[in-house]
Amino acid sequence: MSALKLAVVTAGLSVPSSTRLLADRLSDAVARELRDGGREVEVTVVELRDLARDIADNLVTGFPGPALRRAVEAVERADGVIAVSPIFSASYSGLFKSFVDVLDRDALTGTPVLIAATGGTARHSLALEHAMRPLFAYLRSVVAPTAVYAASEDWGSAGTADGGLAARIARAAGELAELMAHRPQTSGRVAETVIPFEQQLAALRNG
């Protein structure tokens, strides 16, 4: 049985980044769940901060550079995706959205996706539901039920209580691992049958 491919898209801008930290904790938890279930997993991290110039160039020219092309291929070929963005102005970051715009519009059809975000205050957590979840629903992805938001105060206690960050990470990771392990092994795209014009015309005449 071939290894499952997990792509982790993280849109943090600073170094170090709480967004990258959350992405790493989520990917570690998902990989652990899959391996405990007897599945191997290959994890590819797509750090959008390093691709910002390439993404901007692609939006203007329509041609991705080699690094961006590799990142796009990793996401489009993944069996599951973890998408993590900082929240700015009550929504995902512009860099995050710009990368999504680079993807083929059908690339994530049927792909399991775990959405997550970071921010300075818990008040921005609703951005996951009114911004990120609708975005991936529009892309026809299968979005895991549990979204994970980490505010600044979450990093202090790491969530020892039942509703804390650690518990949310574990629950979301279990959901994504389950979706990935039981995803039908298809590309998620429906092949289009092209009927030659002459054949269509003949059918009309004979009808």
Side-chain angles (χ1 to χ4, degrees), residues 77-168:
R77 295 175 179 175
D79 298 294
V81 174
I82 296 173
V84 192
S85 173
I87 299 301
F88 298 139
S89 302
S91 188
Y92 39 71
S93 72
L95 178 61
F96 179 83
K97 180 57 164 59
S98 294
F99 177 74
V100 173
D101 288 343
V102 168
L103 302 174
D104 184 280
R105 65 178 183 176
D106 297 321
L108 296 182
T109 297
T111 301
V113 176
L114 191 167
I115 56 174
T118 58
T121 171
R123 291 195 301 272
H124 294 306
S125 61
L126 288 177
L128 282 163
E129 301 303 328
H130 70 64
M132 289 189 73
R133 192 177 296 276
L135 173 64
F136 286 99
Y138 171 78
L139 296 172
R140 299 190 299 279
S141 304
V142 180
V143 186
T146 300
V148 180
Y149 181 83
S152 298
E153 60 265 25
D154 285 315
W155 299 109
S157 62
T160 55
D162 290 343
L165 179 59
R168 298 196 300 274

Side-chain angles (χ1 to χ4, degrees), residues 157-183:
S157 62
T160 55
D162 290 343
L165 179 59
R168 298 196 300 274
I169 288 173
R171 183 168 61 248
E175 292 169 356
L176 183 63
E178 183 75 10
L179 289 169
M180 290 176 63
H182 294 91
R183 182 191 182 195

Side-chain angles (χ1 to χ4, degrees), residues 3-4 14 28 32 52 55 63 83 112 120-122 130 139-140 143 154 156 165 187-188 190 194 199 203:
L4 294 170
S14 60
D28 289 346
R32 185 165 54 249
I55 292 171
F63 298 100
T121 171
H130 70 64
L139 296 172
R140 299 190 299 279
V143 186
D154 285 315
L165 179 59
S187 65
V190 178
V194 179
Q199 184 177 338

Side-chain angles (χ1 to χ4, degrees), residues 48-72:
L48 298 187
R49 179 180 182 275
D50 298 336
L51 298 170
R53 185 181 299 275
D54 288 344
I55 292 171
D57 288 344
N58 183 86
L59 292 174
V60 174
T61 66
F63 298 100
L68 180 58
R69 186 181 300 110
R70 288 192 296 270
V72 168

